Amino acid sequence: MKIALIGFGNVGQGLAQILCDKAETLRAADGFVPQIVAVATRRQGTLYHPAGLNLELLLAAAAQGQLSAYPDMEGLHRNWAVPEIIRQSNADVVIEVTPTNLQTAHPALDYCYLALEHGKHLVLANKGPVVLAYHELMRRARQAGKQVRFEATVMAGTPALRTGAQNLAGCYIFAMRGILNGTTNYMLSQMENGASYADALAQAQNLGYAETDPRGDVEGWDTAAKAIILAQSLFNANLTIDQLEVEGITGLTTADMLDAHRAGERWKLIAQITPTGGSVRPVRVPLADPLAHVSGAINAITYTTDLLGEVTLVGPGAGQLTTGFGLLSDLLDIHRTASS
Ligand code: HSE
């Protein structure tokens, strides 16, 4: 499988690291031999080699903050523009991992459409295109006979979408409720331990949990985006983000954490999703509620179903390798199911 990575920040590098570390295991266990043939960045240019880039050299160049540090070799193209990579490279799969933009999703959405138009499968960690154009992406994917997958957009590599779509297939899901943002859950846990809001946010940023613009996390929009992705993909809903009631954690202080603690409660940023709507808001959750014990960058989602009652999935919600794994799980699905 030949892969073009559009974006090579925290998450893209996480995937490259996993593919580098697990090359032998993936080949032996799944017959999966991925090659990253192209990498495109906004500030450091692009690289394309039809026979695949050397992952160790690529990661070393990224660690220096300079793709130009990747050594010259025969057949290497530098600075092809992204549309040129999508149109003219030999990639089978385009992975969109540029920062999320929930207002327009562009230029990422244009790249997604271009990828499908040129017969590529599409994998995203970028939430913008899925939030704003899920139904259109699916329509174009069907038309092209290609797959669009986005497990990494919700709860990083924890299989929230796959669980709902595949493992719970045959159940009717009435509703979903959960903690869907790693940054804010980490911050609330740190604030319970006495950290200030500003310090907790700085730590979440240092650990690579926060969005490029962390307002998306703390104001609740990242959680809302994930709620919309869940609603669209599992309920086939036609919801837009402005139809949700959204409130973040910006009004919460360390003193609020202590107040809740005295009452045997914890503040959590909770998303509620039904086929017709939803909300994102901070809630004082009693300790008897399992969600009260989901701490740090861990996330959780409870599916309320007809046949199983409540099913809860708990796992990492943010982070480099955890999100990189979300991408890998989609690539493996495509490898196992796609005919080309
Ligand atoms: N900023 C996001 C979070 C990253 O903290 O959950 C994962 O989507």
Side-chain angles (χ1 to χ4, degrees):
M1 178 185 285
K2 293 184 165 46
I3 298 165
L5 267 175
I6 312 303
F8 200 53
N10 198 32
V11 173
Q13 290 175 40
L15 175 68
Q17 189 67 58
I18 295 171
L19 296 184
C20 194
D21 295 344
K22 289 190 177 271
E24 281 316 309
T25 322
L26 291 169
R27 182 199 300 261
D30 297 277
F32 181 53
V33 184
Q35 281 181 314
I36 296 182
V37 292
V39 164
T41 68
R42 192 155 43 106
R43 295 205 187 84
Q44 298 170 41
T46 68
L47 296 172
Y48 169 54
H49 195 300
L53 299 166
N54 178 301
L55 295 185
E56 279 171 21
L57 296 175
L58 182 62
L59 287 163
Q64 290 178 48
Q66 287 299 335
L67 280 192
S68 58
Y70 189 88
D72 276 327
M73 51 187 75
E74 203 180 324
L76 181 72
H77 299 270
R78 296 185 190 269
N79 297 317
W80 274 24
V82 173
E84 203 173 0
I85 288 175
I86 297 174
R87 283 195 198 101
Q88 293 178 38
S89 77
N90 60 359
D92 308 302
V93 180
V94 169
I95 302 187
E96 227 303 333
V97 275
T98 59
T100 290
N101 164 348
L102 294 174
Q103 272 74 48
T104 67
H106 286 296
L109 185 55
D110 292 329
Y111 300 151
C112 293
Y113 289 157
L114 197 62
L116 291 172
E117 199 180 302
H118 286 268
K120 320 288 185 191
H121 299 291
L122 182 62
V123 174
L124 300 99
N126 178 355
K127 288 158 270 222
V130 190
V131 170
L132 295 179
Y134 169 80
H135 294 288
E136 181 61 16
L137 281 168
M138 291 302 145
R139 191 187 68 74
R140 292 186 188 216
R142 276 192 300 276
Q143 201 172 41
K146 296 292 157 185
Q147 301 189 29
V148 177
R149 292 183 175 258
F150 41 89
E151 186 64 66
T153 60
V154 180
M155 286 175 68
T158 306
L161 298 171
R162 194 168 279 114
T163 297
Q166 292 177 18
N167 302 93
L168 295 177
C171 280
Y172 180 78
I173 302 174
F174 298 104
M176 294 172 271
R177 174 175 180 263
I179 297 171
L180 301 179
N181 181 265
T183 300
T184 48
N185 205 50
Y186 176 85
M187 288 174 66
L188 293 173
S189 297
Q190 292 301 106
M191 287 162 71
E192 274 165 33
N193 295 330
S196 69
Y197 179 98
D199 284 349
L201 175 55
Q203 286 172 31
Q205 288 179 292
N206 283 340
L207 289 164
Y209 300 150
E211 296 298 297
T212 307
D213 181 349
R215 283 177 300 181
D217 295 293
V218 295
E219 293 175 3
W221 297 109
D222 180 79
T223 304
K226 291 163 179 165
I228 291 292
I229 293 171
L230 284 160
Q232 293 185 135
S233 58
L234 299 185
F235 292 146
N236 201 28
N238 259 318
L239 284 175
T240 57
I241 206 163
D242 53 0
Q243 290 173 287
L244 300 184
E245 292 169 35
V246 180
E247 185 188 337
I249 65 158
T250 51
L252 294 179
T253 62
T254 305
D256 293 323
M257 302 303 122
L258 294 177
D259 275 353
H261 180 73
R262 280 187 215 103
E265 295 174 337
R266 286 204 172 113
W267 281 101
K268 293 291 172 192
L269 186 63
I270 302 287
Q272 306 245 31
I273 312 143
T274 69
T276 54
S279 63
V280 174
R281 59 190 184 94
V283 176
R284 266 172 71 152
V285 174
L287 291 182
D289 185 326
L291 290 187
H293 302 280
V294 174
S295 305
I298 301 300
N299 282 185
I301 184 166
T302 299
Y303 309 83
T304 305
T305 71
D306 56 352
L307 300 178
L308 292 176
E310 291 197 338
V311 175
T312 299
L313 179 69
V314 179
Q320 184 175 41
L321 293 181
T322 54
T323 311
F325 170 71
L327 296 171
L328 173 62
S329 69
D330 283 342
L331 295 177
L332 282 169
D333 260 5
I334 292 173
H335 166 67
R336 289 174 188 139
T337 58
S339 52
S340 62

